[in-house]
Amino acid sequence: MKRSAVLPSPLFLSLLAATVAGAVLTVLESEAAVIGGTVLFVLGGWAVSLCLHEFGHAIVAYRGGDYAVRAKGYLTLDIRHYTDPVLSIVLPLVLLAFGGIPLPGGAVWINHHALRSKRVESMVSLAGPLSNLVLGALLSAAVLLLQPPAGLAAAMSYLALLQVFAFVLNILPIPGLDGWGAIEPYMSYSARQFGAKARQWAPFVLFAVLIGFPSIARLFFQLADTVFDLVGGNSLWAAYGQATFMFWR
């Protein structure tokens, strides 16, 4: 593997810098700075996590036999390579900002025929959501161990909760989501054909269900909260961070 193929792109580093800038703003005494910093930290952090999620898919695919992902730029963490910039990046960020639900965004196109086994195919699908879970756990641990100022602790906890939400959402066995991709290699041909037809719209239907049916949404959020507690998340800080992020409510 060429070293240049896995070096982070300047755009990814810029997103990371914007996230750090948001963190700095949250420690200032101004309420406007804390609000602006929280918004910047959460949106920037979510964009960074989207890159890491897709990189997780790509690096496992590369090691599993699909060497074309390197030529496609998937190993550079450049968000522009993860499909359509509006449908895959802008729309999920808008839905996150106004709906509070981290809808899956980007995607990498994997040549499944090049992968060595069904087990590798499953691991490629699982690598993305597992990166969200690990990031959520790391953010939660940082809040617990470092005890940052209140504004930063709240922003970090809310971003950690969103990562756990993304993990729980993505792991569902629904076409278009990674949970489906993990079991799809072991399905019948007809089931895989159904998944191929449904994958374009099924995640958006899921989002509409979560918005339109509060009882279903509660079950999902309860499951996410349980996982969040298991990784050491602080629900009170996360609630404070969400309130600050959605300051207009």
Side-chain angles (χ1 to χ4, degrees):
M1 183 186 298
K2 294 181 179 179
R3 187 168 177 267
S4 60
V6 295
L7 283 178
S9 70
L11 183 56
F12 175 77
L13 295 177
S14 297
L15 291 173
L16 196 58
T19 306
V20 172
V24 172
L25 287 174
T26 64
V27 304
L28 301 180
E29 294 184 0
S30 167
E31 181 180 359
V34 172
I35 293 174
T38 298
V39 172
L40 182 59
F41 179 82
V42 172
L43 291 181
W46 177 251
V48 167
S49 73
L50 187 151
C51 294
L52 293 173
H53 177 111
E54 302 306 332
F55 176 82
H57 290 310
I59 191 65
V60 175
Y62 183 87
R63 295 186 180 279
D66 182 9
Y67 302 118
V69 297
R70 184 178 67 184
K72 295 174 183 176
Y74 294 161
L75 302 183
T76 64
L77 291 159
D78 191 322
I79 199 169
R80 294 172 297 182
H81 292 301
Y82 302 136
T83 70
D84 184 86
V86 175
L87 295 178
S88 301
I89 300 167
V90 176
L91 181 59
L93 287 176
V94 170
L95 292 175
L96 171 62
F98 292 96
I101 298 176
L103 187 71
V108 292
W109 300 106
I110 304 299
N111 179 8
H112 290 269
H113 298 292
L115 300 177
R116 297 191 181 100
S117 66
K118 292 181 179 180
R119 179 179 176 276
V120 171
E121 288 189 69
S122 293
M123 291 307 298
V124 168
S125 294
L126 292 174
L130 286 176
S131 72
N132 293 114
L133 183 63
V134 169
L135 185 54
L138 290 175
L139 287 167
S140 298
V143 172
L144 179 64
L145 298 175
L146 301 179
Q147 298 185 353
L152 181 55
M156 292 173 66
S157 296
Y158 181 50
L159 181 58
L161 180 60
L162 289 176
Q163 297 303 315
V164 172
F165 279 175
F167 167 76
V168 173
L169 188 64
N170 271 286
I171 212 69
L172 295 175
I174 293 174
L177 301 182
D178 293 322
W180 178 273
I183 61 176
E184 188 175 28
Y186 303 97
M187 291 182 174
S188 66
Y189 176 78
S190 59
R192 284 185 277 121
Q193 286 294 100
F194 167 77
K197 294 177 181 178
R199 73 174 74 250
Q200 298 297 323
W201 50 264
F204 293 96
V205 172
L206 173 62
F207 179 82
V209 168
L210 292 175
I211 293 296
F213 296 88
S215 59
I216 297 177
R218 273 195 300 272
L219 292 175
F220 169 75
F221 286 122
Q222 286 172 2
L223 177 58
D225 286 338
T226 298
V227 178
F228 186 56
D229 290 338
L230 289 174
V231 300
N234 188 311
S235 298
L236 291 178
W237 279 130
Y240 176 32
Q242 182 181 36
T244 306
F245 178 73
M246 298 183 174
F247 60 91
W248 59 86
R249 287 189 172 183

